[in-house]
Amino acid sequence: MKQDRKEKLKESIETFHLPRYDEIPDVGLYLEQVAKYIGNLLMPLEDISITRSMISNYIKQGLVSNPVKKQYNRDQIAYLIFIAIAKSVLSLEHIRLMIDMQKDNYDNATAYNYFCMEFENVLFYVFGFKDNPEQIGTDSTDLKLMLQNLIVTSAHKIYLDKCFNMIGEQL
């Protein structure tokens, strides 16, 4: 790969940050606001997105609880961020299983914060910011291993999608 293309790939992701649980707004956002908020967060990933109709579908499918008075809280937004990233490599049924397993093992804040740290860790490794991913967390459960593999797969897919998009722009 040409050096300038590799540098452009790195630049496209170098400031990427998923908000930690306590950084997610908990003032009650409406559907349009949630879609815009998550869309802006995920914009650097290019092919990872979420729309109002997708959010409504995830609620109908039972992946996310219904909004209260049409307003979404921090837990719902955290799940929607996870779903938006996971859906690029998993079926909705497999996402549902992972969420159910998470609920049986970890509280939402712990699970979401771990996901964010691990996702950024692997993403920055895949994009060449570090030679090796860091070891995050101390426990070694089946759920954690599944989540790590989901994250590795997602990060590599994001990298490949960005490569192909960049090549397509040059043709």
Side-chain angles (χ1 to χ4, degrees):
M1 178 182 301
K2 292 181 180 178
Q3 188 63 25
D4 61 326
R5 188 178 306 148
K6 191 171 184 175
E7 286 305 312
K8 278 186 177 180
L9 282 169
K10 284 177 81 170
E11 287 173 13
S12 73
I13 210 80
E14 70 184 334
T15 61
F16 181 77
H17 170 74
L18 285 175
R20 299 310 185 252
Y21 187 80
D22 289 337
E23 298 171 347
I24 296 173
D26 199 29
V27 294
L29 299 179
Y30 291 103
L31 180 60
E32 180 70 33
Q33 293 170 310
V34 171
K36 188 173 184 173
Y37 174 73
I38 296 173
N40 287 337
L41 288 174
L42 302 178
M43 194 178 307
L45 305 180
E46 291 180 15
D47 292 337
I48 306 287
S49 63
I50 198 162
T51 63
R52 293 180 317 202
S53 61
M54 292 164 91
I55 293 170
S56 296
N57 184 44
Y58 301 148
I59 290 167
K60 286 178 191 168
Q61 300 260 343
L63 291 169
V64 178
S65 62
N66 285 319
V68 176
K69 297 181 183 175
K70 298 185 180 185
Q71 294 182 334
Y72 294 79
N73 64 32
R74 183 176 284 150
D75 280 339
Q76 293 162 312
I77 295 169
Y79 277 122
L80 289 167
I81 292 168
F82 169 76
I83 292 166
I85 293 171
K87 75 175 173 53
S88 69
V89 295
L90 290 181
S91 68
L92 290 181
E93 189 55 39
H94 288 162
I95 292 171
R96 178 188 323 280
L97 288 171
M98 288 198 73
I99 289 172
D100 289 345
M101 290 170 63
Q102 171 263 307
K103 287 179 179 177
D104 290 342
N105 291 283
Y106 302 100
D107 65 89
N108 293 345
T110 301
Y112 175 76
N113 286 335
Y114 172 78
F115 168 73
C116 291
M117 289 184 294
E118 189 71 64
F119 185 73
E120 290 171 4
N121 176 40
V122 171
L123 192 67
F124 292 143
Y125 163 70
V126 168
F127 276 79
F129 286 100
K130 44 177 119 174
D131 293 331
N132 294 300
E134 298 168 25
Q135 178 68 30
I136 306 224
T138 56
D139 62 339
S140 181
T141 64
D142 289 340
L143 177 59
K144 184 175 176 182
L145 182 59
M146 291 172 67
L147 183 61
Q148 287 170 334
N149 281 293
L150 160 68
I151 289 168
V152 166
T153 304
S154 298
H156 283 285
K157 183 177 184 317
I158 291 164
Y159 181 85
L160 288 171
D161 287 344
K162 282 183 161 285
C163 286
F164 287 122
N165 288 344
M166 198 174 287
I167 290 168
E169 290 171 3
Q170 294 174 350
L171 295 179

